[in-house]
Amino acid sequence: MTSSVPASIQDLPKTDLHCHLEACFRHKTLMEIGARIGKPVPADTATFRRDYLVAEPKESLEAMIAGFDRVRALWHDVPAIRRLTREAVEDAAAQNVRLLELRYSPDFIQHDRATPGFDEIHGAILDGISDAAAPIAVGLIGIIRRTLPLQEAGKVADFIISNADTFVGIDLADQEIDFPGHQFAELFERAKNAGLGVTIHAGEISLEESRRNVRDAIEILGADRIGHGLHIIQDPALIELVVRHEVPLELCPSSNVLTGSVPNIDAHPFRQLIDAGVKTTINTDDPALFGIDWASEYQLAESALGLSADNIRHCIATARAASFIDQAEINRHWPDAV
Ligand SMILES: [Zn+2]
């Protein structure tokens, strides 16, 4: 009926539109940074996995956040940020990812410190991408967190918009419930007018409010893409809206299992979304944090989600067309048609 994906998933030219930079790291690098800055990181793999990763569903949200906070503390200064970014790009390129959109939250990396400032953080990330010198198109998306007070969100938006020449897009992320997106409408309108692509985390949770976030993202925030969005599957009218507006979903199957968005991989609606005519793409969300990588996520799409080789190629072509990175830049690194 269908051919299998190319002999090796490794060789398949891949895309990732939804990848959080802060969740990309090598264990060994975190150990070296930790030793340098006085925040030792366990060498033992099992301990590291337990305390720093979300490689299996956690017993509580607090346990998940604790791991992410430990990792965040190691994005400590300019040399660390520059190195971690370079290695993220190198690791993706080594798995034949040809198009990578990395997103990060300036205030999340900065946390409650005075330094490095947003400009230094951003500069270190740009330098890290340049250092990688890998055959891969890379674009940066700036994140506004839903949980920020509007004034703080405005400062982050101002930073992203004033750097519209080195960001390709803007995102709204973090806790969906109780933090509606419409209050940020003015910020996203300005970002769009500055030429930035708009992607919104929405529809990640099986609740009506989360589905409402998808509708608001499209109708109020001008979303070009939706991060996750899988739970539109329960609402035919919302599916119709997403299809009519041709808004691709950035699906991240492993993430959805590990955060409890779906109870298990068999319950993931990836195939039903394809069958409903929704534009879909395959993405990692938080690769190292989740103990996954690009090859494993594409392998999962084939083995557990039941996508055919044609489905997977179509997801890749959809991602290529929906990328916020300039198409000429993509073609420069990836001249072959999918
Ligand atoms: Zn995400």
Side-chain angles (χ1 to χ4, degrees), residues 18-20 103 143 171 173 201 204 227-228 250 252 255 285-286:
H18 191 130
C19 181
H20 292 258
R103 62 186 70 196
I143 294 177
D171 177 27
H201 279 74
E204 188 179 0
H228 299 290
E250 303 157 358
C252 314
S255 165
D285 207 5
D286 298 322

Side-chain angles (χ1 to χ4, degrees), residues 8-189:
S8 161
I9 291 278
Q10 169 69 27
D11 292 340
L12 182 72
K14 292 176 271 297
T15 58
D16 193 347
L17 299 182
H18 191 130
C19 181
H20 292 258
L21 177 62
E22 303 96 322
C24 296
F25 48 81
R26 300 174 186 166
H27 181 187
K28 184 167 170 290
T29 298
L30 292 191
M31 285 170 57
E32 289 175 16
I33 294 170
R36 175 169 68 78
I37 67 172
K39 293 190 168 85
V41 174
D44 173 62
T45 307
T47 309
F48 178 70
R49 205 175 156 89
R50 185 193 68 202
D51 293 346
Y52 287 71
L53 305 190
V54 187
E56 45 278 316
K58 293 285 188 190
E59 67 279 7
S60 67
L61 185 63
E62 289 71 28
M64 190 178 289
I65 291 169
F68 214 171
D69 276 347
R70 290 188 189 103
V71 171
R72 166 170 63 181
L74 296 154
W75 288 75
H76 176 75
D77 54 14
V78 163
I81 295 166
R82 181 170 178 165
R83 177 179 174 183
L84 285 160
T85 304
R86 170 177 59 78
E87 292 178 351
V89 175
E90 288 174 346
D91 290 349
Q95 293 196 346
N96 211 15
V97 176
R98 300 290 185 88
L99 191 169
L100 176 66
E101 292 189 15
L102 289 167
R103 62 186 70 196
Y104 80 94
S105 160
D107 63 285
F108 179 85
I109 291 183
Q110 189 183 34
H111 197 27
D112 54 2
R113 303 169 302 186
T115 59
F118 289 179
D119 283 320
E120 287 171 287
I121 291 169
H122 192 60
I125 290 169
L126 291 172
D127 286 343
I129 293 170
S130 303
D131 291 346
I136 177 172
V138 181
L140 287 175
I141 296 172
I143 294 177
I144 294 174
R145 295 193 291 139
R146 286 178 185 269
T147 50
L148 287 179
L150 195 52
Q151 197 183 4
E152 295 303 308
K155 284 183 196 161
V156 179
D158 287 345
F159 173 73
I160 296 167
I161 292 165
S162 67
N163 286 282
D165 55 336
T166 47
F167 280 107
V168 297
I170 189 164
D171 177 27
L172 187 63
D174 214 330
Q175 173 62 267
E176 270 195 72
I177 305 305
D178 297 332
F179 295 95
H182 55 74
Q183 60 175 324
F184 304 109
E186 187 265 336
L187 306 183
F188 279 83
E189 187 181 352

Side-chain angles (χ1 to χ4, degrees), residues 203-206 228 230-231 255-263:
E204 188 179 0
I205 300 166
S206 182
H228 299 290
L230 66 159
H231 288 292
S255 165
N256 297 146
V257 174
L258 290 166
T259 63
S261 170
V262 292

